Amino acid sequence: MAGYRVRAETSEPGGRTRGEVILGILFLVLVVSADVLLGRMLYESMTDVDAIQVRKLQVEGHLHYLSEKMVADYFLSNYDNLNLLTMDLSRVRHYLLKMPWARTVTVRKRLPDILYVYLTEYRPAAYFNKGILTGDWKVIHPDLSEFREPLVHLYGREELAEKIFYRYLSFSEFLRERTNAEIWSVELTPDFMWEIRLTSGLVLFLGRDLDTFASGREEREGDRESEDALLPRLRTFAELNSRIPGLMDKAEYVDLRYETGAAVKWREETREDEEKK
């Protein structure tokens, strides 16, 4: 009787054959490879600039000096990453804050392709040198080619901008009450001399005010003392103006840097008219 040879297959622990183990490993490699491939495809899709690009900038806020078009042009024309999914909103916010009028900026993503921006603007208080002094006492430098607001012109060191502005308010109130004069500009020169130009063109040289700024004093009480030192000089001008008809229209400047009295320089046309009489 013929016998049958039985070949025994080797088994791994747990009862699985070697073939099953190899198939399992191949399947695992296939699944991992597919995951890696899909992940790479998804990453490339997300980081493709044209895949999920910002198509619209929705700008809101109480805007006077900026417009939605200005903000959109500034951002869409210059920002280096317009992919909405990978865009860093904190970086976008800081970028938009570089616009001179932008005071605060809030940014949100609105899928599929909108970037929402809410802006608040600085409010101008005065012209300052070649820029604008804001109500936050910050000097900004926007394009002023079409800016026409009737603000006073202030000149001096930027770190003293707030003090110069408040001194302007004091000068303005004093002159308006006593002479009906309006101030065009106030300057604190590099050697801390005060100069006022009226809208008539007349310049008032007031001189120093106890060297408050030169000494670097910050006390409010000291500021009031130095301010009072200038008021007698303005009072001298007010008295001259009441005694000399047409002073503000006929004089070039009034130098008030004297303990008593003042020096007046008349305009050239005024002197010529007087000589003809």
Side-chain angles (χ1 to χ4, degrees):
M1 186 175 190
Y4 293 93
R5 177 182 291 180
V6 178
R7 188 177 66 179
E9 293 189 4
T10 59
S11 299
E12 296 294 331
R16 290 182 297 176
T17 66
R18 181 177 298 172
E20 290 173 336
V21 172
I22 293 174
L23 286 175
I25 293 174
L26 289 175
F27 179 75
L28 178 62
V29 170
L30 196 61
V31 170
V32 171
S33 299
D35 286 343
V36 171
L37 181 61
L38 287 173
R40 183 176 181 82
M41 291 173 62
L42 180 61
Y43 175 79
E44 290 178 351
S45 175
M46 290 177 61
T47 55
D48 182 358
V49 173
D50 296 323
I52 312 177
Q53 188 175 12
V54 174
R55 305 293 180 186
K56 180 182 178 182
L57 211 67
Q58 182 179 343
V59 181
E60 294 184 3
H62 300 290
L63 304 181
H64 298 275
Y65 310 105
L66 295 172
S67 66
E68 184 172 358
K69 183 179 185 305
M70 290 168 62
V71 178
D73 289 347
Y74 175 81
F75 179 75
L76 297 175
S77 301
N78 300 296
Y79 197 69
D80 57 3
N81 177 21
L82 297 179
N83 187 310
L84 193 63
L85 291 182
T86 61
M87 185 177 288
D88 184 343
L89 294 185
S90 176
R91 185 165 172 259
V92 171
R93 176 179 170 275
H94 283 92
Y95 181 78
L96 292 174
L97 281 171
K98 293 179 181 179
M99 293 185 296
W101 288 111
R103 182 174 180 269
T104 63
V105 177
T106 302
V107 187
R108 296 189 182 93
K109 298 176 182 179
R110 289 185 174 175
L111 296 177
D113 57 4
I114 297 176
L115 186 67
Y116 172 81
V117 177
Y118 185 87
L119 283 163
T120 64
E121 295 177 325
Y122 285 110
R123 288 290 175 261
Y127 295 97
F128 198 91
N129 297 332
K130 295 183 179 180
I132 292 290
L133 176 65
T134 72
D136 300 71
W137 315 121
K138 179 179 180 180
V139 178
I140 61 176
H141 296 86
D143 180 9
L144 298 178
S145 59
E146 298 183 3
F147 188 81
R148 297 290 184 271
E149 294 206 16
L151 305 173
V152 67
H153 295 71
L154 305 179
Y155 301 93
R157 288 161 44 181
E158 285 194 11
E159 63 268 26
L160 299 175
E162 181 180 357
K163 291 177 179 291
I164 295 172
F165 181 80
Y166 278 116
R167 192 58 56 86
Y168 149 70
L169 293 180
S170 175
F171 293 159
S172 180
E173 181 181 6
F174 186 94
L175 289 171
R176 189 179 295 115
E177 289 178 355
R178 290 163 177 78
T179 67
N180 204 32
E182 295 291 337
I183 293 178
W184 172 261
S185 68
V186 174
E187 178 176 2
L188 181 61
T189 67
D191 54 350
F192 297 95
M193 307 285 279
W194 288 98
E195 297 179 7
I196 299 174
R197 181 179 293 274
L198 304 181
T199 53
S200 65
L202 176 64
V203 177
L204 307 179
F205 295 114
L206 299 182
R208 288 193 179 93
D209 56 352
L210 301 183
D211 295 330
T212 298
F213 298 109
S215 62
R217 291 165 59 190
E218 296 293 336
E219 295 85 354
R220 291 294 179 182
E221 182 179 355
D223 291 345
R224 288 195 296 271
E225 292 173 358
S226 60
E227 180 177 335
D228 291 341
L230 294 176
L231 294 184
R233 301 170 196 174
L234 286 177
R235 192 173 292 111
T236 297
F237 167 72
E239 292 172 356
L240 284 174
N241 184 66
S242 65
R243 297 204 310 258
I244 304 176
L247 175 65
M248 286 192 285
D249 296 321
K250 297 177 180 180
E252 183 175 327
Y253 68 73
V254 177
D255 192 342
L256 299 159
R257 294 173 292 179
Y258 297 90
E259 291 185 9
T260 58
V264 179
K265 180 180 179 181
W266 299 99
R267 296 177 186 175
E268 190 67 31
E269 57 269 25
T270 302
R271 290 199 298 270
E272 290 177 355
D273 291 343
E274 290 296 323
E275 291 172 356
K276 292 177 181 179
K277 291 181 180 179

